[in-house]
Amino acid sequence: MTTLGEALVHQLRSLGVTTVFGIPGVHTVELYRGLTGSGIRHVTPRHEQGAGFMADGYARVSGQPGVAFVITGPGLTNMLTPMAQARADSVPMLVISGVNALPTLGKGLGYLHELPDQRGLTALVALTSTRIEAADDLPQALGAAFASFGTGRPGPVHIEIPTDVMGIAAPETGLPARPNARPESDPADISRAAGMLAAARSPVILAGGGAKFAGAPLARLAERLGAPVVQTANARGTMHAHPLTVPASPCLAACRALVAAADVVLAVGTEFGPTEYDMYGTGPFPLPERLVRIDISTEQLGRHPATVALAGDAGVTLAALDEAMPDRDPAPDGAARAAATRGAALAELSPDMRAQVAILDAMRAAVPGAIMVGDSTQVTYGGNLYYDHDRPAGWFNAATGYGALGLAIPAAIGAALAAPGTRVLCLTGDGGAQFTLPELMTAVDERLPITFMIWNNRAYQEIATSMAAKGVPVLGCDPTPPDFAHIAKACGMPHLGCAMTPEAVADALRRLVPKDGPVMIEIDATL
């Protein structure tokens, strides 16, 4: 007999799932029956929050949904923070949890891990929350989950399976074909937008995370237009070192001035969120009068007015615009406008932030093509303001959007699993590292080529600075960090300390290279 738990694993594999993150428990034992020999790799974190952040990092790098198995009750509540981060950053994530037996649900009988309404709680964060109550429910639930990842802005999806349903008989087959019903723009709207862009004399493109896998069509259209391309943090690496690239936060005055001077702006896969477009609280980003927007979500398109709103995949829609646009000469000053904006944006940064950017540039030169995963730490803030990464989907962090501290260590693990053999640099402060420090051992178990880079200033320095700037007595910002050299030794990984200079950090990266597992570099950031 094939159980529903075994059928679940078989159907996940048929949908292309190759990795699952999870911690087995008495409420998920039956989900594990079919994993051995399935071709799906199971990765065991040390905490369910780690499982969620690993799934997040895996999805951001691979473009495929990250999948996690968790128990009912505390397992699922521990997943809520990663799910909220995934929701904020449009990251596809499938969370499959147990729940207590069907006859007990909602009755308050005191069963182990019981919640009053588990689905109701999860539905506040997830795109959808579905319960499997019979064998026939499984293929429909999985089909709907994967449809949501491909037909709109992705995010976390939750499926719960009662413990008395996991073991019932179920056919392995029966999974509906994976839908591919992405929205497509009206050809008349494509033609209208193409005409606007063709007539532009000083066009500008704003690229967000929705454009990170559309680098080639984005660059082609930008070149035809002669349009500088301003990239939010989640789009960095899309057009590395291109003459038209502006790898700077749109909140900076230089980028705002560039947009203000444009006669037409094309915004691709960006929601105009204030953590990117108004980071310093200087006022809402001034949307241009002539705006073309591309987004896979029609709901998102309705949140800001646009002259032409195009619903669809970024790459497909950019290619359609390129094809529909009549011949034109590119704006002759596009590269000059981009260069001037790059220079002005970098000059806006404080000396400390420019120093952090210099360190990032040195890291990129020392380890070209690496994936950099960050927490909310000063080097990440500097990079989000201005940094040109050299790999699409290779720069991401938790310092924008939902802003969950502790993402970096587990998300770096997910990223490394999504890109086997690629070196991953995990950028975290001593404070943020302590949120998910136990996950270091997951990286050791999996023998992943991760360099954990700890910016150790023995404080929540950014918060302390903010408190002082507002005249609030600094309190609670100096938690004592552990001895990271001893932590590394306890985990069985090499450790190297260095000064916080570009030369010292680059030298440490060249000297301490992961070979059969992760390594740790501790940067003295107290100076």
Side-chain angles (χ1 to χ4, degrees):
M1 181 191 77
T2 298
T3 67
L4 186 136
E6 290 172 307
L8 168 69
V9 171
H10 177 83
Q11 293 180 19
L12 286 173
R13 188 68 188 90
S14 71
L15 284 164
V17 174
T18 59
T19 305
V20 166
F21 304 92
I23 301 174
V26 294
H27 288 74
T28 54
V29 167
E30 283 295 335
L31 300 186
Y32 280 76
R33 186 181 295 278
L35 271 176
T36 301
S38 67
I40 295 179
R41 180 179 190 170
H42 182 271
V43 177
T44 306
R46 280 17 181 201
H47 190 278
E48 288 92 357
Q49 186 181 75
F53 285 143
M54 288 176 197
D56 180 300
Y58 181 92
R60 292 189 199 233
V61 172
S62 69
Q64 300 300 312
V67 181
F69 284 1
V70 296
I71 63 167
T72 186
L76 189 62
T77 56
N78 285 337
M79 281 290 299
L80 290 178
T81 294
M83 291 172 72
Q85 184 72 51
R87 180 70 178 262
D89 285 348
S90 302
V91 176
M93 179 187 294
L94 176 59
V95 177
I96 299 174
S97 79
V99 72
N100 286 314
L102 273 173
T104 73
L105 297 181
K107 296 182 178 178
L109 300 174
Y111 280 86
L112 181 66
H113 302 329
E114 184 177 26
L115 282 168
D117 182 0
Q118 181 170 282
R119 280 185 60 204
L121 177 65
T122 311
L124 297 173
V125 175
L127 296 176
T128 59
S129 180
T130 304
R131 179 182 301 146
I132 305 295
E133 297 188 0
D136 290 344
D137 295 343
L138 178 62
Q140 283 73 24
L142 287 176
F146 279 80
S148 73
F149 298 141
T151 57
R153 277 207 174 198
V157 171
H158 171 238
I159 296 174
E160 69 177 18
I161 308 177
T163 53
D164 58 336
V165 175
M166 293 178 186
I168 66 173
E172 287 188 352
T173 58
L175 185 68
R178 187 169 175 176
N180 187 21
R182 289 176 181 270
E184 294 184 3
S185 297
D186 188 313
D189 289 334
I190 291 284
S191 179
R192 184 181 171 208
M196 283 178 56
L197 292 168
R201 300 173 67 87
S202 55
V204 169
I205 297 175
L206 298 171
K212 68 182 178 182
F213 293 119
L218 179 66
R220 280 196 303 270
L221 187 60
E223 289 163 1
R224 286 194 67 188
L225 294 171
V229 182
V230 179
Q231 296 133 58
T232 68
N234 283 331
R236 300 294 171 79
T238 306
M239 288 176 57
H240 173 62
H242 193 288
L244 292 170
T245 200
V246 182
S249 171
C251 77
L252 295 174
C255 294
R256 288 189 170 205
L258 176 72
V259 171
D263 54 356
V264 178
V265 172
L266 171 62
V268 186
T270 182
E271 66 180 1
F272 296 112
T275 60
E276 283 275 14
Y277 285 82
D278 188 24
M279 190 179 299
Y280 294 117
T282 54
F285 187 83
L287 294 177
E289 183 176 339
R290 292 170 62 79
L291 173 66
V292 177
R293 286 194 74 192
I294 298 173
D295 202 284
I296 199 167
S297 168
T298 54
E299 182 181 12
Q300 179 57 235
L301 287 172
R303 290 177 179 150
H304 297 285
T307 312
V308 184
L310 303 175
D313 173 81
V316 171
T317 310
L318 286 167
L321 279 176
D322 189 24
E323 184 177 349
M325 199 171 68
D327 289 338
R328 59 157 283 164
D329 292 328
D333 63 344
R337 286 187 292 139
T341 305
R342 289 194 300 268
L346 185 59
E348 273 186 66
L349 305 189
S350 69
D352 285 346
M353 288 293 103
R354 285 198 299 272
Q356 302 289 359
V357 174
I359 290 175
L360 288 171
D361 288 340
M363 290 165 56
R364 184 189 61 225
V367 192
I371 296 169
M372 296 190 190
V373 183
D375 249 332
S376 292
T377 192
Q378 287 187 318
V379 69
T380 302
Y381 299 140
N384 283 350
L385 286 171
Y386 188 100
Y387 171 63
D388 189 13
H389 197 52
D390 62 354
R391 179 190 180 104
W395 169 269
F396 65 90
N397 54 74
T400 62
Y402 193 65
L405 199 58
L407 172 136
I409 290 176
I413 293 168
L417 289 163
T422 301
R423 193 163 171 189
V424 176
L425 309 184
C426 174
L427 318 178
T428 182
D430 57 293
Q434 292 181 73
F435 276 57
T436 47
L437 202 58
E439 303 305 347
L440 292 175
M441 284 306 300
T442 308
V444 172
D445 283 350
E446 300 295 328
R447 298 185 175 182
L448 298 174
I450 303 173
T451 301
F452 293 104
M453 309 189 72
I454 313 293
W455 261 256
N456 191 351
N457 57 19
R458 304 182 67 82
Y460 295 138
Q461 190 58 54
E462 190 69 18
I463 304 303
T465 300
S466 298
M467 293 176 77
K470 293 181 179 295
V472 176
V474 177
L475 180 66
C477 294
D478 56 351
T480 302
D483 185 321
F484 284 102
H486 283 82
I487 291 289
K489 183 177 180 181
C491 294
M493 70 175 71
H495 172 278
L496 181 64
C498 73
M500 193 177 66
T501 67
E503 298 78 14
V505 172
D507 180 63
L509 284 168
R510 294 188 184 102
R511 288 172 56 196
L512 194 59
V513 178
K515 293 179 181 177
D516 191 34
V519 300
M520 181 185 292
I521 295 175
E522 182 179 354
I523 299 161
D524 184 353
T526 58
L527 302 178

